[in-house]
Amino acid sequence: MTKESVLRIALVLPDLLGTYGDRGNALVLAKRSSWRGTPAEIVTVLSSSEAVPDSCDIYLVGGGEDVAQHAAVRFLRDGGLRRATQAGAPVLGICGGLQVLGTGFRTGDGSYHEGLGLIDVVTEPGASRAIGEVVTESSVDGIGVLTGFENHLGRSRIAEGVQPLGQVVHGIGNGYDAVEGAVSGHVVCTYLHGPVLARNPVLADTMLEWAVGRPLEPLPEIDEIEELRAERTNRIKFRSRHPNAQRSQ
Amino acid sequence: MNQARNHESTSTVEESVTEQRWRVVAPPPSEIRRPPRKDPRTTLAVGAGRLAATLSQRLGAGSGAIIGGRVALLLQPRALRRLTRGRRVVMVTGTNGKTTTTHMIVEALRERGGTVSNATGANMLDGHVAALMTRPRAPYAALEVDELHLARVTEEFEPAVIVLLNLSRDQLDRVGEIRSVEERLRRALRRAPGAHVIANADDPNIVSVAVDHPRVTWVAGGNRWKHDALNCPRCGTFLDGADEWRCVCGLVRPPADLTVDAEGVTGPDGWYRSLELALPGQVNRLNATFALAAALVLGGDPDTALRRIRDIDQANGRYGTVSLGGRIVRLLLAKNPASWLEMLDLVSAHRHPLILVVNSREADGFDVSWLWDIDFECLDGREVVVAGDRARDLAVRLRYAEVSCEVAGSVEDALTRLPGECPDVLANYTAFRDLSAKSAAP
Ligand SMILES: [Zn+2]
């Protein structure tokens, strides 16, 4: 945290990586911080800027198209994001962001691109796109059930020593070993949109706690969010009991 | 105004619009090997299609027209090619405004003889065949076409006019990313070198689609939604959303032939017409200018066309005031971030209560993450009720926008919570369609 006690949230390259409402994650973090009395500032880092500042408290990397991901890796290779990550700042990579932060990814045209290597994950294209609602049971302490929507071709294999974000209850996830996402230190990667922090406030608060380095007062429960979570996870339970029902939606 | 093109002549706008960058283009190969005029297979297919449509309507099995088109296509896979022969066809595509603009073009051409149209919004090949079958002798056709299906259309025949409105994110799990849609439209235009293209000069994605085509009329009226054109569609360089954008790779905002603002439409050489529409919003002024350009390209008289367009007060239910559950409401279609932006602009002109309805059925797309691309913060202090399949997603989005709202089980339920002034209902695609079907004339 900066000394002025303003939480600075870096929204990294939303012009390249902002296809699926990823700005929403920044908004959720900002509000949950300011509702606790710490004002927040969203620092938007566009591809026209000189560099990524290393002084932000949290970094968000969204998803984009193949070409955009490749351009994002070039832009981010030696900069503030790497330094901040090494210094322990929490980083959230969504969908394409997971691939950008990982060791490497193969795009639809068959070419292999190195990622930033901030987390040991390798992505290959799958046979078809994974599209639909996802429910996972998080293996990270205290996070619990995660809900989101996935839409990706890539299948991601995590290295030994990297923890998955959750065990898949419904959906595809990484496409290996029935797990979804990846966690290493304070780097969290996931295929879940929704946006993921809007649907999963506990994950948002965990990242905020990492950013400020201390436990936070819990916010009063927000009924709308609890109802949304119940709705999204209940329909999955219904579908699991009726295996012939259409998935997705 | 377009100084860059430096018109010295005293030509009228009609001539400028139709003659600019004119060149003789060889007809496409399909036109050279002309099949016999009377084609028994098509006649049979159309007959069977009509029969199927009538039967389906009598049995109450939904929209009979589409089924008729499907049957005709099954019996004659080349039905679209055959049915468009000898007509001047305007194809209208883009993410937003297709239905309204198509309707405007039909009205603008009313004086020039019959125009068929797929007014029900059935905008794929079966819908086109169904529309064309209804009046095989009408000299004009104005057809809206799904962005992903224009390439299939230009495989079948070369339209006289192709209108390219705009491109923005919409139904990401179906349509996919803008890049691939843009490439597909570019491919569609390569197959139609003799068509006259009318394209949006302010939308970099549309400019990329149309710029290599030999005959383009550029229309400008601003571009509110910029998030899908922040980077150059050709090379990815950041464009910063400026109005007069120019990319290092050479892609540049073309000088406009027709520009529309809050007062009127300006063309080359001081050509000017004031524009007053019954339909609200700058977005419809732009749609009207596209329709005017299409009428001019087809030899229409601008004043007649504008008079017709001006009087339109709703298009397939859009913007219409209707009676719903015993109340008078205005129905507005808002199906993706760009159209939500336009509709939120519209409703900012008053303080009436609002009902927001979002579904996520197949035709809407299952992923509603795009709700977070919309600045609902502008609704602060308004009376808002949310409904639809995804009412809870909307409620959470509004909570983070610090806009208070109530969640209703249905729009009828929402109406009972808003006993005061007549509310505006903003609904996405299937929600709008269902409400439209349930509503009655006021
Ligand atoms: Zn460029």
Side-chain angles (χ1 to χ4, degrees):
Chain A
M1 287 280 299
T2 48
K3 49 187 176 300
E4 307 86 24
S5 216
V6 171
L7 183 87
R8 298 180 78 224
I9 302 160
L11 185 57
V12 179
L13 302 179
D15 55 321
L16 294 174
L17 306 171
T19 314
Y20 299 100
D22 296 309
R23 194 180 65 100
N25 288 316
L27 197 59
V28 167
L29 289 171
K31 289 291 174 190
R32 298 188 76 82
S33 177
S34 68
W35 288 339
R36 289 184 168 94
T38 305
E41 179 195 352
I42 297 173
V43 179
T44 303
V45 185
L46 295 166
S47 65
S48 57
S49 50
E50 290 288 300
V52 184
D54 59 10
S55 57
C56 291
D57 300 299
I58 300 193
Y59 292 79
L60 301 173
V61 187
E65 302 169 34
D66 285 352
V67 186
Q69 277 179 219
H70 183 47
V73 170
R74 264 178 306 165
F75 186 89
L76 298 171
R77 186 163 284 142
D78 315 292
L81 179 61
R82 183 182 298 280
R83 289 194 298 278
T85 311
Q86 280 157 359
V91 181
L92 177 64
I94 312 280
C95 200
L98 172 151
Q99 302 175 14
V100 166
L101 297 176
T103 321
F105 56 94
R106 196 178 299 283
T107 42
D109 61 3
S111 58
Y112 185 82
H113 306 273
E114 258 183 47
L116 297 173
L118 298 176
I119 189 164
D120 203 348
V121 180
V122 176
T123 302
E124 296 277 342
S128 61
R129 282 190 91 78
I131 304 179
E133 287 286 334
V134 188
V135 176
T136 70
E137 194 85 57
S138 183
S139 11
V140 179
D141 250 2
I143 301 270
V145 171
L146 293 170
T147 155
F149 190 95
E150 63 182 335
N151 181 357
H152 55 101
L153 183 65
R155 299 294 186 273
S156 300
R157 201 186 277 278
I158 56 178
E160 249 175 78
V162 174
Q163 196 185 353
L165 178 61
Q167 305 291 320
V168 175
V169 178
H170 180 91
I172 305 290
N174 293 0
Y176 294 105
D177 309 323
V179 298
E180 198 288 317
V183 181
S184 166
H186 287 172
V187 179
V188 176
C189 292
T190 178
Y191 277 113
L192 304 187
H193 319 133
V196 66
L197 299 186
R199 285 212 201 170
N200 304 286
V202 177
L203 182 60
D205 289 349
T206 301
M207 300 204 74
L208 284 175
E209 289 184 343
W210 288 346
V212 300
R214 60 182 161 79
L216 294 170
E217 286 294 306
L219 286 173
E221 209 164 76
I222 296 173
D223 293 344
E224 293 92 324
I225 299 176
E226 294 315 310
E227 284 165 14
L228 174 63
R229 286 175 58 75
E231 173 192 283
R232 292 291 109 195
T233 49
N234 280 340
R235 34 187 323 129
I236 303 303
K237 279 188 208 134
F238 171 80
R239 292 232 159 85
S240 316
R241 284 202 304 272
H242 299 79
N244 293 331
Q246 275 276 313
R247 75 176 278 272
S248 74
Q249 178 160 352
Chain B
M1 247 321 270
N2 173 15
Q3 267 92 27
R5 292 220 354 257
N6 217 352
H7 286 271
E8 302 270 320
S9 70
T10 54
S11 65
T12 62
V13 70
E14 297 92 284
E15 285 161 349
S16 305
V17 165
T18 52
E19 285 182 1
Q20 54 144 350
R21 281 162 273 178
W22 178 277
R23 67 171 206 195
V24 179
V25 179
S30 63
E31 294 284 302
I32 297 168
R33 290 188 303 276
R34 207 166 262 268
R37 198 88 184 118
K38 292 242 172 191
D39 166 26
R41 190 170 177 183
T42 305
T43 311
L44 177 73
V46 167
R50 283 204 184 118
L51 184 64
T54 312
L55 280 177
S56 149
Q57 257 149 9
R58 287 214 187 123
L59 295 172
S63 173
I66 287 273
I67 288 157
R70 264 176 220 161
V71 167
L73 268 173
L74 269 176
L75 294 172
Q76 169 53 293
R78 291 279 163 262
L80 192 57
R81 185 175 299 186
R82 300 294 154 88
L83 289 169
T84 49
R85 178 153 311 240
R87 308 194 210 220
R88 308 197 71 192
V89 181
V90 184
M91 298 304 303
V92 180
T93 197
T95 309
N96 292 324
K98 291 188 284 285
T99 302
T100 306
T101 307
T102 304
H103 185 67
M104 287 173 166
I105 292 170
V106 170
E107 287 300 316
L109 293 175
R110 188 167 290 278
E111 252 61 38
R112 307 193 46 85
T115 307
V116 291
S117 170
N118 50 341
T120 55
N123 62 13
M124 302 191 194
L125 264 56
D126 45 6
H128 299 145
V129 168
L132 292 162
M133 270 168 32
T134 57
R135 289 167 68 194
R137 269 180 256 285
Y140 294 97
L143 301 172
E144 69 164 271
V145 58
D146 180 84
E147 307 85 279
L148 294 180
H149 285 75
L150 184 66
R152 282 284 292 113
V153 166
T154 57
E155 267 171 27
E156 293 295 322
F157 73 98
E158 185 167 74
V161 180
I162 297 174
V163 175
L164 300 170
L165 298 169
N166 49 65
L167 276 185
S168 67
R169 60 188 66 184
D170 182 39
Q171 297 183 54
L172 285 165
D173 47 322
R174 181 184 81 85
V175 181
E177 287 145 352
I178 311 276
R179 200 72 307 103
S180 63
V181 181
E182 189 265 316
E183 273 164 26
R184 233 197 268 207
L185 285 174
R186 223 192 294 177
R187 202 163 65 230
L189 256 59
R190 277 200 292 270
R191 292 207 197 89
H196 193 121
V197 174
I198 301 169
N200 190 335
D202 286 326
D203 184 330
N205 287 304
I206 291 293
V207 172
S208 176
V209 169
V211 73
D212 298 326
H213 195 277
R215 274 201 291 172
V216 185
T217 293
W218 296 103
V219 170
N223 187 22
R224 286 276 282 116
W225 174 259
K226 295 188 190 295
H227 292 278
D228 290 306
L230 290 173
N231 298 75
C232 172
R234 291 286 175 96
C235 73
T237 302
F238 188 70
L239 294 177
D240 87 2
D243 290 341
E244 289 293 333
W245 52 272
R246 169 184 296 275
C247 183
V248 288
C249 74
L251 195 71
V252 56
R253 190 231 187 233
D257 299 293
L258 290 172
T259 302
V260 60
D261 60 19
E263 273 82 51
V265 184
T266 308
D269 306 314
W271 187 94
Y272 177 82
R273 293 289 187 284
S274 68
L275 184 65
E276 272 171 51
L277 296 181
L279 290 177
Q282 173 66 11
V283 63
N284 281 317
R285 304 176 66 76
L286 186 54
N287 291 339
T289 309
F290 275 105
L292 169 68
L296 292 175
V297 164
L298 294 172
D301 167 59
D303 297 303
T304 313
L306 282 174
R307 197 164 53 243
R308 289 287 184 184
I309 294 168
R310 188 188 61 203
D311 293 340
I312 298 170
D313 58 3
Q314 55 121 328
N316 205 15
R318 289 151 165 90
Y319 309 103
T321 302
V322 296
S323 162
L324 193 68
R327 296 280 301 283
I328 303 295
V329 302
R330 185 165 66 152
L331 271 185
L332 299 169
L333 174 69
K335 54 180 183 167
N336 50 41
S339 64
W340 274 95
L341 185 65
E342 301 287 358
M343 294 309 125
L344 290 174
D345 269 2
L346 269 189
V347 302
S348 70
H350 61 69
R351 303 292 295 171
H352 293 203
L354 302 171
I355 301 174
L356 314 182
V357 199
V358 171
N359 281 351
S360 65
R361 317 232 167 121
E362 188 162 10
D364 303 305
F366 297 127
D367 188 358
V368 295
S369 312
W370 52 265
L371 288 174
W372 294 77
D373 291 325
I374 300 164
D375 291 326
F376 286 106
E377 285 75 3
C378 66
L379 297 181
D380 186 26
R382 300 287 294 257
E383 197 174 359
V384 181
V385 180
V386 299
D389 301 344
R390 304 306 290 267
R392 291 197 167 86
D393 292 82
L394 259 170
V396 171
R397 172 68 191 93
L398 291 177
R399 182 68 186 228
Y400 279 104
E402 301 192 1
V403 172
S404 53
C405 73
E406 281 187 53
V407 180
S410 66
V411 172
E412 289 80 356
D413 174 24
L415 283 167
T416 64
R417 292 162 192 251
L418 299 168
E421 279 171 301
C422 111
D424 272 358
V425 181
L426 286 74
N428 76 337
Y429 184 73
T430 64
F432 179 91
R433 189 195 59 193
D434 295 352
L435 289 170
S436 222
K438 266 195 266 182
S439 68

